[in-house]
Amino acid sequence: ETGVTQSPTHLIKTRGQQVTLRCSSQSGHNTVSWYQQALGQGPQFIFQYYREEENGRGNFPPRFSGLQFPNYSSELNVNALELDDSALYLCASSPKGLAGTGELFFGEGSRLTVL
Amino acid sequence: GENVEQHPSTLSVQEGDSAVIKCTYSDSASNYFPWYKQELGKGPQLIIDIRSNVGEKKDQRIAVTLNKTAKHFSLHITETQPEDSAVYFCAASKVGGGADGLTFGKGTHLIIQP
């Protein structure tokens, strides 16, 4: 177990709705990254938060947004849901400020289904 | 941006045999190459990583090799065991190059036959 917890584990939404996913990082980790993993694919980088600010973003539209709180926990918000947003959303924490500088500790993910 | 290709998509080997998974990357500025193992219903877990100033790294039954000139790196698992069955992902990124995140391959489903 990595100590990264995500909620909810599963949820179903309809097109056009909004969703908020939550992540508690491992103790001592100040950086949180979010990844989208479509079925049968590798994870895709959405964005990273460090010290409560977004400091890196992948190729995702602005309707994907996030927050990081003073206790380093994080939220991923997706507005105007589309069918293609159906995926496993993974949160990863790390103790360093830059993505890719070391090991990422992943949670078990939130499985989102958009109908 | 970076593009990572991974082969094969499925690999079936007999228990005790070796398994090799290969990846290529496109961005010559990438200098960090981790491998993650994902079991069913779990998040990916780092099993080994290598940086561009090293050509090979070994940890017990697992080894990774890197050829920066050819832009490819490989995962080698020897003496495979049933618990090695999982999906394996290679990834690439630039250390110190900003928060671009990891670029993952599409994964290899490794099946260990008893």
Side-chain angles (χ1 to χ4, degrees):
Chain A
E1 300 298 326
T2 63
V4 178
T5 58
Q6 294 187 241
S7 63
T9 54
H10 296 81
L11 69 167
I12 300 173
K13 294 284 187 178
T14 56
R15 252 186 331 177
Q17 285 189 312
Q18 177 265 344
V19 68
T20 297
L21 307 178
R22 295 177 175 84
C23 172
S24 293
S25 59
Q26 183 165 320
S27 177
H29 289 185
N30 57 11
T31 302
V32 173
S33 305
W34 286 89
Y35 286 79
Q36 180 195 66
Q37 186 176 22
L39 204 59
Q41 302 293 315
Q44 267 195 292
F45 177 63
I46 303 174
F47 45 53
Q48 178 190 253
Y49 278 82
Y50 172 60
R51 292 183 175 176
E52 303 177 51
E53 290 193 2
E54 183 184 302
N55 77 334
R57 189 177 186 94
N59 190 24
F60 281 82
R63 61 188 183 86
F64 285 78
S65 63
L67 285 171
Q68 187 180 31
F69 300 99
N71 67 353
Y72 306 130
S73 66
S74 178
E75 285 183 357
L76 165 66
N77 299 288
V78 187
N79 294 322
L81 283 167
E82 301 177 359
L83 297 179
D84 284 349
D85 295 334
S86 295
L88 181 69
Y89 288 85
L90 293 163
C91 169
S93 73
S94 60
K96 297 180 180 179
L98 295 176
T101 56
E103 181 173 1
L104 295 182
F105 295 79
F106 283 90
E108 295 191 346
S110 293
R111 172 75 62 188
L112 171 64
T113 302
V114 182
L115 301 177
Chain B
E2 176 65 275
N3 182 51
V4 176
E5 299 282 344
Q6 182 172 350
H7 300 281
S9 56
T10 303
L11 177 60
S12 180
V13 301
Q14 290 293 124
E15 183 179 348
D17 286 351
S18 295
V20 180
I21 302 170
K22 298 182 178 182
C23 289
T24 60
Y25 61 98
S26 61
D27 188 346
S28 56
S30 289
N31 53 14
Y32 174 65
F33 307 93
W35 287 86
Y36 281 81
K37 174 183 180 182
Q38 187 172 27
E39 297 175 335
L40 201 60
K42 304 279 188 181
Q45 183 175 9
L46 181 74
I47 55 172
I48 195 167
D49 58 13
I50 191 167
R51 297 178 193 270
S52 60
N53 57 347
V54 175
E56 184 173 357
K57 184 177 178 181
K58 191 173 181 181
D59 183 4
Q60 299 183 359
R61 297 186 297 109
I62 295 173
V64 57
T65 58
L66 171 65
N67 183 328
K68 281 223 75 180
T69 303
K71 297 206 206 70
H72 66 70
F73 56 114
S74 301
L75 177 71
H76 304 252
I77 306 175
T78 58
E79 301 171 14
T80 52
Q81 300 169 4
E83 54 264 36
D84 295 330
S85 293
V87 179
Y88 291 80
F89 293 97
C90 61
S93 75
K94 294 186 281 289
V95 171
D100 292 333
L102 290 171
T103 301
F104 284 86
K106 291 188 175 181
T108 296
H109 185 193
L110 177 62
I111 302 164
I112 308 300
Q113 303 279 7

